[in-house]
Amino acid sequence: MSTARTRLLDLGAMREVIRVSVPLMFGMVGNLVLMLVDRICLARYSEDALKASGPAVFTATTVIMVTTGAVGITRSYVAQAHGRGDERGALDEGASGLVLGLLLSALLLLATPLLTRVPQLSGQPAHIEALEAQFLGLSTLYGSVMTLNMALSSYFNGMGRTRIPMTVGIIGQAVGVVMTIGLVFGRFGLPELGMRGSALGTLSAVSVMCLGYVVCLPRGYAAGLGRLMRQGVRQVAQVLWLRLRRGAPAGGSLSLEELGQTAFVWLAGVLGSVALAANNVALALNYAAVIPLIGLGMGCNILCGKAVGAGRYRDIPHIMRVTLTTSGVYVAVVAVLQIATPALLLSPFGLDGAGSAVTGHAVDTSRVLWTYSAAFMFSMVGSGVLECLGLARFGFVARIVLMWVLCVPTITVFVLLNRDDPDMLPIMWVIFSAFEAAMAVVCLWRVRRAVANEENRLHTTDPVQQTA
């Protein structure tokens, strides 16, 4: 990309965005399939397993997102080095990310006894708590491997080689599907482990991925680890501490977003059991709909990080416009389908067999889901660019204020005023979307300011002035 762009869009830039982003989308679709298989297996195994899986999976995901999100900042470090044309520097950045991943994985494993006590706070029957504790005890094991995988995949993603994580991910997910079915039900000559089998199935998937990443690493990666270790304990500690300061807010923001989504589900229950059931179906459809937007946002993060590394700050608005235009076309198509054919879209996510009341409210809700997708595409791009500039902390603070100080209390008041009225579910979604749009506005405002001042805080606590 050139340093100056006057056109709104060009096919070359769009091809580059799609080249980087599409493999990321396929990788996340694979994760969705693995998650659905896991949920279906537990639902069919026993009612107790299904009851225990919700809180257990939510708790594990919230904790693991902190470590994987923090290590994920490696992607931006590698992208900047790649943009500078410093291939050795990119290897060094990847090695630093792996060391940080090892440390956070160790901390996650040490937290296992604490995490297994969380079910005691739920007030569930003892046998449900025992199932939750079994899963959580194993979740730190697969979570630690996921943290390492994030560090390893961030090197390939930062280099723009996103097909490698896609391929490795699909292979691991395929293994995970087979192992989950086998270990939950005792199929394929495997032991029947129920709830524990679900966690071990995930562990098998991420372990295969980890092996795949190690096999695909370039020869110079180990040399990068050696160069890092030769710097001495004090210098290594400084490097990792700065990286943790830049990455932890990104992980915290993801975790808070997960908590916010969970709060939204619980608040929907205040509108009644019909609204809760309808919302669960609509939520699954919404998650599937935004997966491509997450991939496009990550692709924008990589390309903008590369531009920052090369000192081409004026390319950033253009990359963002191309990404948003591509995302906008996708959202427009999805909006038409959600409005015109909601029942068809909802049927794979649990609408079949639901009562007429649940079906009707799920259909009505699906017709406004596009408002969230439209807001999310802007906030995803904005937060991704902030991360590659080392400004993830700003997004973290904005998420706290908008989600927990404003959004959740507002929706709480709304549902309390409309208790047991499922007709209010679509309006609840519109309110939620409005706050996501506010998040987008705040992030984009900060991006504009950072680009104008040519800020790059990944390597320093102060803005770094670079010339284009």
Side-chain angles (χ1 to χ4, degrees), residues 183-322:
L183 290 170
V184 170
F185 296 106
R187 305 276 178 84
F188 317 126
L190 297 171
E192 180 181 340
L193 300 176
M195 191 82 172
R196 286 182 298 165
S198 169
L200 290 173
T202 302
L203 177 61
S204 67
V206 297
S207 298
V208 169
M209 293 179 199
C210 188
L211 178 61
Y213 288 132
V214 171
V215 170
C216 293
L217 286 174
R219 294 180 180 179
Y221 198 89
L225 283 172
R227 286 191 292 271
L228 177 65
M229 295 306 169
R230 285 194 296 270
Q231 292 180 19
V233 175
R234 183 174 181 179
Q235 183 62 28
V236 170
Q238 290 178 351
V239 170
L240 297 182
W241 175 242
L242 178 59
R243 182 161 301 206
L244 184 61
R245 289 178 60 187
R246 294 293 174 263
S253 184
L254 289 173
S255 184
L256 284 177
E257 189 172 354
E258 178 72 10
L259 284 169
Q261 294 278 358
T262 304
F264 184 84
V265 172
W266 286 108
L267 289 171
V270 179
L271 298 177
S273 59
V274 171
L276 180 61
N279 187 63
N280 286 339
V281 178
L283 196 65
L285 173 60
N286 184 66
Y287 180 75
V290 301
I291 278 180
L293 299 178
I294 298 173
L296 286 165
M298 289 178 63
C300 182
N301 163 268
I302 294 166
L303 294 174
C304 287
K306 183 179 177 181
V308 171
R312 301 195 311 266
Y313 283 83
R314 284 179 290 174
D315 277 359
I316 294 177
H318 180 70
I319 295 169
M320 294 174 66
R321 283 194 297 269
V322 171

Side-chain angles (χ1 to χ4, degrees), residues 169-192:
I170 290 175
I171 294 172
Q173 290 148 5
V175 171
V177 167
V178 174
M179 294 298 291
T180 297
I181 295 172
L183 290 170
V184 170
F185 296 106
R187 305 276 178 84
F188 317 126
L190 297 171
E192 180 181 340

